Amino acid sequence: MGAIMIRCPATNELIPVGIDTDKDSFLGLPEVQAAPVQCPACGGQHTWSKKDAILETTMRIRSRGSSD
Ligand SMILES: [Zn+2]
């Protein structure tokens, strides 16, 4: 599993779009514009499509408060 990320055009940071998926499902996504995502980096909203997106599988995103 991985998190779909896009790059914020304002801060150039990678931000999660809030969708976790696996590689096969990611590759199978249609090339359509997705719903705007609220950007945690700049506070704006960004529209994105699959060509803007990457599947982040290397970075481990730990949820806060995890006892891990
Ligand atoms: Zn942004």
Side-chain angles (χ1 to χ4, degrees), residues 7-11 13 15 39-46:
R7 194 168 290 280
C8 170
T11 67
E13 289 185 46
I15 62 165
C39 178
C42 75
Q45 288 200 329
H46 306 308

Side-chain angles (χ1 to χ4, degrees), residues 32-61:
V32 295
Q33 194 162 74
V37 58
Q38 179 77 39
C39 178
C42 75
Q45 288 200 329
H46 306 308
T47 54
W48 60 280
S49 58
K50 182 182 168 186
K51 64 176 168 47
D52 305 315
I54 64 165
L55 184 65
E56 177 57 76
T57 56
T58 55
M59 183 195 306
R60 289 199 179 276
I61 300 172

